[in-house]
Amino acid sequence: CTFIFSQPDFIGTYSLIKSVEGMGGTKADYDQRMLEISQSFNRTYITTLIICFFYEWFCWTLCKGRSVGKILTKQQILIEKNPERKLLTNLKYTWRALLKLAFALFFQGIPFLVSMLMIFSDPENRALHDRLSGTMVTVATNDNEANID
């Protein structure tokens, strides 16, 4: 439980990486240090993804499909079908956040590239995670209850 709620240790991970530069010793010492670096990086990366997941999910559910960035750029996430059903809408937001988390976790930088390619090549400018979750990012309306036809 401490792992999930701990802060990402960017400085600790960076310090471990820098410590290898002037390191002497045996190959076993070097291998041990590399293992520590790998474990520290993985903990930091996964913790960061979990924080991002909860940030997006809370923003979307509390602000009707709008994160801080979407509020500033006057955008929102719309649900493709039945946007008036609050439980279904919140499940769609959860599914969208889980898809983004899974893509980032398993494929790292590749989903960003795929999303950008899809956004610019798709007739509706929808990213892969939007297509799979039945959502769409659009200009915010006054009532925040728009529907995708």
Side-chain angles (χ1 to χ4, degrees):
C1 211
T2 304
F3 169 72
I4 292 174
F5 295 106
S6 66
Q7 64 180 354
D9 188 11
F10 296 111
I11 295 171
T13 301
Y14 180 75
S15 298
L16 281 172
I17 292 169
K18 291 302 274 182
S19 71
V20 172
E21 287 180 1
M23 184 179 161
T26 66
K27 180 167 176 18
D29 293 339
Y30 178 79
D31 290 344
Q32 179 62 33
R33 181 57 55 96
M34 294 306 289
L35 180 62
E36 291 172 14
I37 290 171
S38 175
Q39 291 171 341
S40 178
F41 177 82
N42 288 340
R43 277 192 306 272
T44 302
Y45 183 66
I46 290 171
T47 304
T48 302
L49 289 178
I50 291 170
I51 290 168
C52 290
F53 166 79
F54 282 110
Y55 163 77
E56 288 184 341
W57 185 80
F58 280 120
C59 284
W60 295 339
T61 55
L62 294 177
C63 299
K64 296 183 179 180
R66 300 177 80 190
S67 63
V68 173
K70 286 192 179 18
I71 290 169
L72 292 174
T73 59
K74 296 182 169 105
Q75 296 178 338
Q76 75 181 73
I77 300 168
L78 297 179
I79 302 301
E80 209 167 10
K81 296 176 183 166
N82 302 319
E84 66 281 349
R85 297 177 62 192
K86 189 169 183 136
L87 178 61
L88 181 62
T89 297
N90 287 338
L91 287 173
K92 291 273 188 170
Y93 291 148
T94 304
W95 177 238
R96 184 179 193 268
L98 283 171
L99 283 171
K100 286 180 74 174
L101 173 72
F103 289 163
L105 180 62
F106 296 116
F107 305 112
Q108 297 178 3
I110 296 171
F112 178 75
L113 178 63
V114 170
S115 288
M116 290 301 108
L117 291 174
M118 281 197 70
I119 287 170
F120 292 115
S121 65
D122 185 77
E124 296 176 318
N125 299 71
R126 293 169 71 183
L128 180 60
H129 56 269
D130 286 323
R131 283 261 175 224
L132 294 175
S133 64
T135 60
M136 177 180 201
V137 176
T138 188
V139 176
T141 61
N142 291 336
D143 59 3
N144 283 342
E145 297 293 332
N147 192 4
I148 300 172
D149 291 326

